[in-house]
């Protein structure tokens, strides 16, 4: 077994763990934006904070093992892997999405949310579509 296979397995594992949270967090935002109960509001604040802080290390480890993969394959592979040049900006978009979740979390924490549940339903679909595109690029490796 080569170290590349270990890196690849860990990259995929941490990505799956990260996305479990990234798919669920906006769903919590949907319900939070729609609640009028102070008790529910307080409970959603705790759940959202715990979830985002729980999945953030998975996002970091996904990046670490992705970079280790690129490094292990080498510069020649990187230059020849045109599909990867399309994947990386999409990955950066997902990290931007993750960072924006911290802003939304702060808005809810300080009772500044002005967005509707419908906004969060749409917001919830963004990582799904980006992840689908990334997976297609990684498996199909189009030229």
């Amino acid at each position: 077994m080569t170290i590349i296979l270990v890196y690849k397995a860990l990259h995929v594992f941490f990505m799956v763990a990260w996305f479990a949270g990234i798919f669920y967090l906006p769903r919590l935002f949907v319900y939070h934006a729609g609640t009028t109960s102070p008790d529910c509001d307080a409970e959603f604040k705790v759940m959202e904070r715990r979830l985002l802080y729980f999945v953030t290390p998975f996002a970091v480890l996904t990046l670490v093992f992705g970079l280790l993969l690129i490094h292990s394959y080498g510069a020649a592979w990187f230059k020849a892997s045109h599909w990867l040049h399309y994947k990386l900006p999409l990955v950066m978009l997902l990290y931007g999405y993750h960072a924006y979740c911290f802003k939304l979390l702060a808005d809810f924490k300080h009772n500044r949310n002005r967005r509707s549940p419908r906004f969060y339903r749409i917001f919830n679909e963004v990582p799904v579509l980006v992840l689908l595109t990334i997976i297609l690029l990684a498996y199909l490796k189009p030229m």
Side-chain angles (χ1 to χ4, degrees), residues 29-90:
F29 290 159
V30 169
Y31 301 135
H32 194 170
T35 190
T36 56
S37 164
D39 291 337
C40 287
D41 178 67
E43 186 66 26
F44 279 123
K45 287 176 183 177
V46 170
M47 291 170 63
E48 292 157 357
R49 180 183 47 78
R50 285 182 179 169
L51 179 59
L52 187 55
Y53 282 94
F54 179 76
V55 300
T56 296
F58 298 142
V60 171
L61 289 168
T62 300
L63 179 63
V64 166
F65 286 103
L67 292 174
L68 284 171
L69 276 169
I70 291 170
H71 177 73
S72 297
Y73 278 116
W77 173 83
F78 180 78
K79 289 178 187 174
S81 299
H82 300 291
W83 63 272
L84 188 59
H85 301 161
Y86 294 106
K87 175 188 172 185
L88 292 178
L90 293 171

Side-chain angles (χ1 to χ4, degrees), residues 93-130:
L93 178 69
L94 289 171
Y95 280 97
Y97 181 95
H98 187 103
Y100 187 64
C101 286
F102 278 99
K103 188 253 187 245
L104 296 173
L105 184 74
D107 286 348
F108 277 113
K109 177 182 178 180
H110 300 294
N111 299 314
R112 294 187 308 234
N113 177 56
R114 301 292 176 252
R115 304 208 184 261
S116 70
R118 185 173 188 273
F119 167 83
Y120 292 109
R121 280 189 184 90
I122 295 167
F123 182 72
N124 192 41
E125 300 308 319
V126 171
V128 174
L129 299 174
V130 175

Side-chain angles (χ1 to χ4, degrees), residues 121-141:
R121 280 189 184 90
I122 295 167
F123 182 72
N124 192 41
E125 300 308 319
V126 171
V128 174
L129 299 174
V130 175
L131 180 61
L132 174 61
T133 305
I134 287 172
I135 289 171
L136 290 172
L137 286 168
Y139 279 89
L140 301 177
K141 296 178 177 38

